[in-house]
């Protein structure tokens, strides 16, 4: 049995849309009634361990929300299995719901006419937490997230960031081992966003929970997530630790600062060099050399490039790897430029 | 156990909101009273009859109140469910480990008790205003109200289940809800004179038998003698049918909705 708190085992979701009096986009034929399949999630496989923050990134309509909803039991997979804390989500759904806390996009979780304390009491009862435990948990969570002073203020009077903090408290009221955060920092200012990120890190690291985060904000993913899965057209195209994902791509591009323009045809002839590009600056030209991702070929390519520059009697002022950020990695992957070989 | 926990949560929430919005609750009662009084004036006193005016006014008023009660309870499963889906509250309720059916049962019970409380004040005010008589037999009334509630939530679950899948059935449900007010208003044993096919349809709707029985107890002062009326047994029968059918339909639709990925969304 896997030790992962969340595990997707070839989870698949096929939806059907129904159309009346429509034109088939593929054949151009007119139909009175047509049922079209949409493969929202294709054989998704990943696991999330305790203490880990897993980020799910992808363009709109990639299948992130469907994946998250399969973990929460809101969507039934068409194929494969989803496990939470070792329990099959379909077979033990009600037990699974006790183990998952969900923060949905925006601030839709809270009941606005109630105060944070009343909201926590209400959702605590819905999640089977009651009596002294509920009171202690309410006090602890409001203190943990920094809402103690606002405990008796109606939610409608709270700021966006405070509402989002309350939504996190609601998700945590039953002390679930798994927390799912759908766009947790959307619409928040820098301070609120930072506070929420810090609290998510704190609760996963110190309390041994695991978090599954979907976000469009690459900075959030880069700062927050230990591991990132990138989804495109319902398929998990990569699933790697954040640092490794950045490394894979950053290692490919080198910046060579030279005293004059090199002959790029000679450089491109070096085995392992994929492409070159010249950029002019005030202090001389910079040659961007993109190398093959294979480590062995890459070292040969670096050696060959330096040799070729020497043969052209060029002065190599400096050489450095180009730093990648998650946004450029994401764009390269989702635009289909290249893929890291292994997916988990 | 889960039901009582959810019930407690709903009661606390209801009380807090009622306390916080007491002025709106109070004015709601008076607006309801005023509007119903005007309706009675137009339909009963405006008809030109002289005999048993007060009795007819209370009869019509009670019928209308029962119709409003049915309208509200069934509405909780249709427009209420859609509203919850829009605000996102439904997604949270769907993720409660007690299940959606338990949640809605508790939610509707609290709504029913609160409606009965405010509607009772309105009908008492109406009876006082038109100098009519209302008989109060606590136990038979509670039994009948409980059966009415079960009948309505059974029907509500069925319509609500349909709304989970076919979002636009909410509009059809609105027509049915309005029809229930229309039926409860004049419902009495005189329905016996109606064509058999129409009688079957009318008696199949959850509010007709309830309305007949409640009028027997509250207006005619029948008390436990209501047990001698055929409508009481129709009420029990429709209660069993609607509740079983409604919950089964709702559960089936809930699973179908999860399959379609539309559970909790609108």
């Amino acid at each position: 049995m896997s030790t992962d708190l969340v595990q997707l085992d070839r989870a698949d979701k096929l939806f059907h849309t129904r159309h009346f009096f429509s034109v088939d986009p593929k054949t151009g034929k007119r139909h009175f009634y047509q049922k079209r399949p949409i493969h929202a999630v294709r054989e998704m496989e990943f696991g999330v361990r305790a203490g880990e923050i897993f980020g799910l990134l992808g363009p709109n309509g990639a299948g992130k929300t469907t994946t998250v909803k399969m973990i929460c039991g809101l969507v039934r997979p068409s194929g494969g299995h989803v496990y939470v804390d070792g329990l099959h989500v379909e077979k033990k759904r009600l037990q699974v719901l006790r183990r998952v806390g969900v923060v949905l996009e925006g601030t839709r979780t809270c009941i606005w006419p109630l105060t944070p304390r009343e909201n926590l009491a209400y959702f605590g009862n819905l999640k089977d937490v009651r009596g002294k435990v509920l009171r202690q948990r309410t006090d602890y969570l409001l203190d943990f997230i920094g809402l103690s002073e606002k405990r008796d203020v109606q939610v409608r009077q709270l700021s966006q960031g405070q509402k989002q903090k309350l939504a996190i408290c609601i998700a945590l009221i039953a002390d679930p081992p798994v927390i799912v955060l759908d766009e947790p920092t959307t619409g928040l200012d820098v301070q609120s966003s930072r506070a929420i990120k810090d609290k998510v890190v704190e609760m996963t690291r110190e309390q041994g929970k695991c978090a599954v985060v979907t976000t469009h904000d690459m900075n959030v993913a880069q700062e927050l997530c230990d591991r990132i899965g990138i989804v495109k057209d319902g398929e998990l195209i990569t699933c790697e630790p954040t640092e490794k994902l950045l490394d894979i791509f950053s290692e490919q591009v080198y910046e060579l600062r030279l005293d004059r323009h090199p002959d790029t045809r000679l450089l491109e002839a070096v085995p392992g060099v994929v492409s070159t590009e010249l950029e002019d600056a005030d202090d001389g030209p910079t040659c961007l050399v993109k190398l093959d991702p294979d480590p062995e070929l890459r070292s040969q390519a670096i050696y060959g490039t330096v040799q070729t520059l020497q043969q052209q009697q060029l002065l190599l002022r400096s050489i450095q790897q180009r730093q990648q950020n998650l946004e450029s990695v994401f764009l390269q992957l989702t635009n289909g430029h290249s893929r890291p070989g292994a997916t988990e | 156990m889960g039901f009582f926990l959810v019930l407690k949560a709903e009661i606390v929430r209801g009380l807090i909101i009622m306390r916080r919005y007491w002025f709106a609750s109070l004015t709601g009662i008076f607006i309801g009273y005023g509007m119903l009084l005007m309706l009675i004036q137009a339909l009963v006193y405006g008809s030109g009859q002289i005999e048993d005016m007060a009795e007819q006014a209370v009869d019509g008023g009670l019928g209308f109140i029962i119709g409003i009660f049915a309208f509200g309870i069934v509405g909780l499963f249709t427009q209420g469910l859609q509203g919850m889906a829009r605000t996102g509250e439904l997604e949270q309720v769907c993720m409660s480990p007690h299940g959606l059916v338990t949640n809605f049962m508790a939610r509707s019970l609290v709504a029913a008790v609160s409606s009965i409380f405010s509607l009772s004040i309105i009908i008492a005010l109406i009876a006082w205003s038109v100098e009519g008589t209302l008989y109060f037999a606590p136990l038979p009334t509670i039994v009948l109200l409980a059966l009415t509630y079960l009948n309505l939530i059974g029907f509500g679950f069925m319509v609500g289940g349909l709304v989970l899948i076919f979002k636009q059935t909410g509009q059809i449900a609105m027509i049915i809800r309005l029809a229930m007010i229309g039926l409860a208003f004049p419902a009495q044993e005189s329905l016996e004179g109606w064509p058999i096919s129409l009688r079957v349809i009318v008696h199949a709707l959850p509010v007709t038998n309830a309305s007949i029985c409640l009028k027997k107890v509250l207006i005619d002062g029948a008390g436990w003698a209501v047990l001698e009326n055929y409508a009481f047994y129709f009420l029990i029968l429709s209660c069993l049918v609607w509740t079983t059918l409604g919950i089964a339909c709702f559960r089936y639709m809930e699973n179908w909705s999860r399959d379609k990925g539309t559970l909790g969304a609108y």
Side-chain angles (χ1 to χ4, degrees):
Chain A
M1 180 55 84
S2 162
T3 53
D4 292 334
L5 280 178
V6 174
Q7 198 196 347
L8 271 80
D9 176 18
R10 298 170 72 85
D12 205 78
K13 186 66 205 174
L14 188 70
F15 290 118
H16 287 98
T17 54
R18 289 165 174 79
H19 303 267
F20 288 94
F21 305 109
S22 64
V23 179
D24 191 314
K26 284 180 189 165
T27 60
K29 279 185 183 174
R30 286 173 180 276
H31 293 274
F32 168 69
Y33 171 77
Q34 202 186 16
K35 205 167 134 181
R36 290 182 204 148
I38 297 172
H39 219 143
V41 175
R42 293 165 195 265
E43 303 201 336
M44 187 82 76
E45 266 194 340
F46 65 81
V48 190
R49 292 180 295 275
E52 187 181 29
I53 305 174
F54 181 78
L56 214 48
L57 300 185
N60 291 335
K64 303 185 297 287
T65 305
T66 308
T67 307
V68 158
K69 283 188 171 181
M70 286 198 290
I71 297 170
C72 309
L74 282 173
V75 168
R76 186 160 39 186
S78 317
H81 307 279
V82 181
Y83 298 93
V84 170
D85 204 6
L87 296 169
H88 195 284
V89 173
E90 284 312 302
K91 291 175 186 160
K92 306 272 181 192
R93 188 167 160 261
L94 295 185
Q95 287 180 47
V96 165
L97 291 175
R98 289 174 206 275
R99 290 166 166 80
V100 186
V102 185
V103 180
L104 299 163
E105 192 183 348
T107 51
R108 301 183 305 167
T109 312
C110 329
I111 301 170
W112 286 30
L114 303 186
T115 64
R117 193 170 53 84
E118 290 159 354
N119 261 287
L120 288 173
Y122 176 76
F123 285 103
N125 276 310
L126 286 194
K127 296 243 170 185
D128 230 350
V129 187
R130 53 187 186 271
K132 199 180 164 190
V133 179
L134 178 60
R135 282 193 295 277
Q136 283 175 347
R137 190 98 191 116
T138 301
D139 290 341
Y140 165 74
L141 285 171
L142 290 175
D143 190 41
F144 168 75
I145 212 90
L147 274 181
S148 289
E149 286 177 13
K150 303 281 179 184
R151 56 188 293 141
D152 293 318
V153 175
Q154 275 188 57
V155 172
R156 66 173 78 249
Q157 292 164 13
L158 299 181
S159 70
Q160 194 81 351
Q162 287 165 337
K163 283 174 191 153
Q164 189 68 351
K165 283 178 180 176
L166 176 60
I168 292 176
C169 289
I170 289 170
L172 291 171
I173 189 72
D175 201 10
V178 177
I179 179 157
V180 176
L181 303 160
D182 188 15
E183 304 284 349
T185 55
T186 303
L188 300 187
D189 59 33
V190 180
Q191 285 91 341
S192 302
S193 177
R194 164 60 49 205
I196 282 174
K197 280 187 273 187
D198 289 346
K199 290 300 169 190
V200 171
V201 171
E202 198 179 325
M203 95 194 159
T204 44
R205 301 285 185 272
E206 290 174 12
Q207 300 172 17
K209 297 181 188 305
C210 86
V212 179
V213 181
T214 71
T215 181
H216 285 109
D217 190 335
M218 299 299 149
N219 292 327
V220 172
Q222 196 167 336
E223 285 177 35
L224 200 61
C225 303
D226 301 311
R227 207 147 50 94
I228 287 172
I230 295 181
V231 188
K232 189 188 174 192
D233 297 331
E235 211 176 334
L236 192 66
I237 55 175
T238 185
C239 180
E240 298 286 353
T242 312
E243 283 176 14
K244 191 178 170 191
L245 199 61
L246 293 170
D247 278 352
I248 290 170
F249 286 86
S250 61
E251 280 173 6
Q252 290 177 27
V253 182
Y254 284 79
E255 290 179 2
L256 309 174
R257 286 187 55 234
L258 305 165
D259 60 338
R260 58 195 163 83
H261 284 192
D263 185 345
T264 50
R265 284 172 307 169
L266 287 173
L267 285 174
E268 281 170 8
V270 174
V273 173
V274 177
S275 63
T276 59
E277 199 180 317
L278 280 173
E279 279 178 6
D280 280 315
D282 294 340
D283 55 346
T286 302
C287 182
L288 300 176
V289 183
K290 191 174 179 184
L291 306 181
D292 196 285
D294 178 28
E296 208 170 298
L297 208 55
R298 195 164 56 223
S299 25
Q300 279 180 29
I302 293 170
Y303 182 72
T305 305
V306 174
Q307 239 182 357
T308 310
L309 293 174
Q310 276 177 345
Q311 282 164 8
Q312 292 179 57
Q313 294 183 328
L314 287 158
L315 178 65
L316 181 60
R317 286 175 169 160
S318 69
I319 178 167
Q320 67 176 62
Q321 276 179 256
R322 173 159 274 197
Q323 289 298 307
Q324 293 281 90
N325 63 16
L326 195 57
E327 191 169 328
S328 57
V329 172
F330 176 76
L331 287 173
Q332 285 179 63
L333 281 171
T334 50
N335 290 336
H337 287 169
S338 53
R339 288 179 179 194
T343 54
E344 261 182 49
Chain B
M1 188 62 197
F3 172 76
F4 292 106
L5 266 178
V6 182
L7 187 65
K8 185 186 149 201
E10 287 297 335
I11 291 171
V12 171
R13 180 168 84 144
L15 287 174
I16 290 168
I17 291 176
M18 199 190 287
R19 190 195 66 202
R20 209 154 275 164
Y21 298 97
W22 64 270
F23 186 73
S25 310
L26 208 63
T27 45
I29 290 175
F30 284 105
I31 289 169
Y33 161 70
M35 287 181 73
L36 189 53
L37 206 60
M38 281 193 281
L39 197 72
I40 287 168
Q41 164 66 29
L43 294 177
V44 180
Y45 289 90
S47 65
Q49 290 177 0
I50 300 168
E51 214 179 326
D52 299 331
M53 281 286 214
E55 197 184 316
Q56 277 186 41
V58 178
D59 185 289
L62 182 62
F64 192 78
I65 288 284
I66 295 166
I68 289 287
F69 176 65
F71 185 84
I73 296 298
V74 176
L76 198 75
F77 292 85
T78 54
Q79 265 72 18
L81 198 133
Q82 286 175 343
M84 281 169 73
R86 269 189 222 107
T87 57
E89 198 185 336
L90 187 61
E91 276 173 330
Q92 283 297 322
V93 174
C94 288
M95 281 181 282
S96 154
H98 304 298
L100 204 52
V101 170
T102 309
N103 272 279
F104 264 86
M105 274 183 139
R107 192 175 279 256
S108 61
L109 182 58
V110 174
V113 172
S114 138
S115 297
I116 288 169
F117 180 73
S118 51
L119 293 175
S120 300
I121 295 175
I122 294 177
I123 193 63
L125 283 173
I126 292 284
W128 173 74
S129 304
V130 299
E131 295 177 356
T133 315
L134 268 179
Y135 294 92
F136 183 56
L139 270 178
T141 309
I142 289 170
V143 169
L144 286 176
L145 285 174
L147 286 171
T148 311
Y149 161 74
L150 286 173
N151 225 328
L152 288 172
I153 61 158
F155 186 71
F157 269 124
M158 205 192 75
V159 184
L162 292 172
V163 170
L164 280 178
I165 292 285
F166 310 106
K167 308 293 178 193
Q168 291 179 32
T169 42
Q171 306 306 320
I172 299 166
M174 178 60 97
I175 296 167
I176 298 172
R177 288 164 67 200
L178 288 170
M180 285 198 292
I181 299 183
L183 278 170
F185 190 68
Q188 43 192 278
E189 282 176 298
S190 61
L191 290 178
E192 281 176 22
W194 290 23
I196 185 80
S197 53
L198 208 57
R199 270 168 60 197
V200 169
I201 294 170
V202 165
H203 279 291
L205 277 172
V207 78
T208 318
N209 301 305
S211 190
I212 293 171
C213 291
L214 279 167
K215 281 178 178 178
K216 277 268 166 211
V217 172
L218 295 171
I219 294 173
D220 300 344
W224 283 116
V226 75
L227 298 181
E228 292 164 17
N229 196 294
Y230 75 95
F232 181 77
Y233 299 97
F234 266 121
L235 179 64
I236 292 176
L237 182 71
S238 68
C239 193
L240 288 171
V241 172
W242 279 120
T243 314
T244 316
L245 199 70
I247 292 177
C249 172
F250 194 82
R251 281 193 197 281
Y252 178 78
M253 294 295 187
E254 186 188 344
N255 282 331
W256 189 6
S257 179
R258 286 179 54 233
D259 240 4
K260 281 184 70 176
T262 56
L263 187 65
Y266 180 66

